[in-house]
Amino acid sequence: MAAIVASKWFRGRLLMGNLSNSILGSLGTPHDITRLDCTGFFSQQLRTFIQMRTKLKVVDNSGAKWVRCIQALKGRKGARLGDTIIASVQEAQPRGKVKKGEVVYGVVVRAAMQRGRCDGSEVKFDDNAVVLVNKQGEPIGTRVFGPVPHELRKKKHLKILTLAEHIA
Amino acid sequence: MRLEKCWFCSSTIYPGHGIQFVRNDAKIFRFCRSKCHKNFKMKRNPRKLRWTKAYRRLHGKDMTQDTTFEFERKRNRPERYDRNVTEETLKAIKKIDKIRVARDARHHAMRMKGKKAIERQAAKKELEQGIPLVKAPLALKEDPSLTLPKNKVMVHLSQPEDQMVE
């Protein structure tokens, strides 16, 4: 009956030509409930500023695996998403571009602590991760893994954005 | 400007509201408010919480299949601006809204059909079970109707007046 009413009301309207009450028309937004359980790591991750002695994952192919922050270059309390830090390499793969114990610069591309966006909403990530850069801000590695925020564009890290797999 | 849907309760998220969580596999979870975000962090299933849209859809509380929902679909292709199309669209929005509300009302009416009879039955049963509380069993034997006895209480109005005079 609804279809009859609808067709009567909208006869000849191009925009609403497909307004008929078909069963297969629309379904609700699917929720992937099953994937919910794999966020166990997220609940354990510390959600604070990136400060001295914070360990961060390195998400590029520079050869380092983990770095430890020794200085945040901006902010009194520490670095946040998109900020640059100085770090020492804690763990590195053999034959990489950087070695264990080296002091490197890095851009925080993922932070578990939420950061306000330009429109007022907030964004947060699963873990704390950096991409190693040189003093001029060019990435040392040639690949970037995982999602990175689009705020890096504002910070003039366009190279990281182009290398990134996903931009959130 | 894009109006997103909350991952948890499926409500609309207007720009500048809520928080979004990006998992390491780049899936984005958007939440309209801290309530939804906290529930997500507690790993609650939105299908089991009565206030979410997912629950209401799953349990047939809300209209799920309707062509009026087709109009608020996510479209990634930008439309070229056309004055006539915009005008038509603005007109159409009102009509579609009206149709959706009407269909929703009909769905609700269909869902509530038979509810009154069930309520009456329940009330009748309760009355039969609880009648000794208000009508003594002996009185019930004399007058088997379930209507409550009209008790007449004599009130002496003259006495207090006399006391007042004194």
Side-chain angles (χ1 to χ4, degrees):
Chain A
M1 196 193 110
I4 298 165
V5 172
S7 63
K8 215 186 258 176
W9 283 11
F10 294 112
R11 198 179 300 144
R13 274 200 188 278
L14 192 133
L15 194 76
M16 296 184 264
N18 59 347
L19 195 95
S20 61
N21 208 357
S22 69
I23 298 299
L24 291 166
S26 64
L27 291 163
T29 45
H31 287 212
D32 61 339
I33 305 297
T34 47
R35 303 291 300 275
L36 199 67
D37 292 335
C38 37
T39 51
F41 179 65
F42 157 64
S43 56
Q44 290 158 19
Q45 181 66 46
L46 211 64
R47 292 185 290 278
T48 56
F49 286 92
I50 311 291
Q51 53 193 351
M52 192 193 274
R53 292 187 74 82
T54 305
K55 276 185 90 180
L56 300 109
K57 202 175 170 185
V58 180
V59 285
D60 58 13
N61 59 351
S62 62
K65 276 184 187 166
W66 288 91
V67 295
R68 174 171 279 163
C69 175
I70 54 176
Q71 173 93 64
L73 291 182
K74 200 176 160 258
R76 197 170 54 83
K77 287 182 177 172
R80 306 183 72 175
L81 189 65
D83 290 345
T84 310
I85 59 166
I86 305 176
S88 74
V89 178
Q90 293 289 302
E91 209 181 310
Q93 285 162 346
R95 295 179 291 283
K97 280 179 189 163
V98 294
K99 290 188 175 58
K100 188 182 171 185
E102 250 179 72
V103 174
V104 288
Y105 282 70
V107 177
V108 180
V109 292
R110 288 202 286 274
M113 187 177 143
Q114 73 273 28
R115 172 97 203 232
R117 293 212 133 152
C118 52
D119 70 345
S121 64
E122 286 178 327
V123 64
K124 61 195 277 186
F125 287 83
D126 241 348
D127 58 354
N128 294 322
V130 284
V131 168
L132 300 189
V133 294
N134 60 16
K135 268 194 173 174
Q136 282 76 44
E138 295 149 2
I140 292 173
T142 52
R143 292 179 69 195
V144 172
F145 307 111
V148 299
H150 66 72
E151 278 92 349
L152 292 181
R153 190 180 299 277
K154 256 190 178 171
K155 306 265 181 185
K156 308 245 166 30
H157 293 299
L158 283 175
K159 186 74 186 164
I160 297 175
L161 273 179
T162 52
L163 293 174
E165 294 169 325
H166 303 282
I167 295 167
Chain B
M1 192 180 78
R2 174 165 274 181
L3 303 179
E4 305 282 0
K5 292 281 181 226
C6 176
W7 184 86
F8 206 84
C9 70
S10 312
S11 68
T12 314
I13 306 171
Y14 286 86
H17 286 254
I19 189 168
Q20 67 185 49
F21 166 61
V22 185
R23 208 165 54 185
N24 263 356
D25 62 358
K27 167 134 180 65
I28 299 175
F29 299 89
R30 292 189 177 83
F31 305 105
C32 60
R33 48 186 162 164
S34 59
K35 179 184 181 181
C36 294
H37 185 214
K38 279 173 189 161
N39 274 287
F40 172 77
K41 283 196 284 189
M42 287 191 272
K43 296 183 179 178
R44 290 211 177 131
N45 190 343
R47 292 188 188 188
K48 287 183 183 171
L49 293 179
R50 297 191 151 203
W51 50 274
T52 64
K53 203 80 181 164
Y55 177 93
R56 293 188 63 81
R57 283 212 184 107
L58 194 67
H59 291 79
K61 309 282 181 197
D62 278 346
M63 194 167 60
T64 49
Q65 289 160 351
D66 200 88
T67 39
T68 50
F69 298 140
E70 272 292 290
F71 292 102
E72 52 174 277
R73 210 179 43 210
K74 185 174 172 182
R75 292 176 183 86
N76 284 327
R77 197 180 304 145
E79 278 291 318
R80 197 176 180 81
Y81 175 72
D82 185 351
R83 198 184 152 87
N84 291 333
V85 168
T86 311
E87 201 188 335
E88 288 270 285
T89 312
L90 286 175
K91 272 186 205 160
I93 286 171
K94 281 178 199 158
K95 285 202 170 175
I96 292 162
D97 239 20
K98 220 184 252 174
I99 292 172
R100 202 190 51 230
V101 168
R103 285 182 183 175
D104 240 349
R106 194 164 60 231
H107 182 267
H108 184 257
M110 286 288 279
R111 195 157 74 79
M112 289 297 156
K113 220 168 76 180
K115 177 127 196 289
K116 216 165 186 182
I118 292 168
E119 269 175 1
R120 279 176 79 93
Q121 286 262 320
K124 199 176 166 191
K125 198 179 172 191
E126 196 186 353
L127 181 64
E128 271 165 9
Q129 282 176 348
I131 194 72
L133 294 175
V134 285
K135 202 171 182 181
L138 268 176
L140 190 67
K141 233 173 214 175
E142 284 172 17
D143 178 22
S145 75
L146 288 177
T147 48
L148 294 184
K150 280 176 187 162
N151 290 336
K152 279 181 186 168
V153 182
M154 296 291 276
V155 180
H156 300 284
L157 284 174
S158 54
Q159 220 167 10
E161 275 175 13
D162 291 345
Q163 282 169 357
M164 287 283 278
V165 172
E166 284 170 9

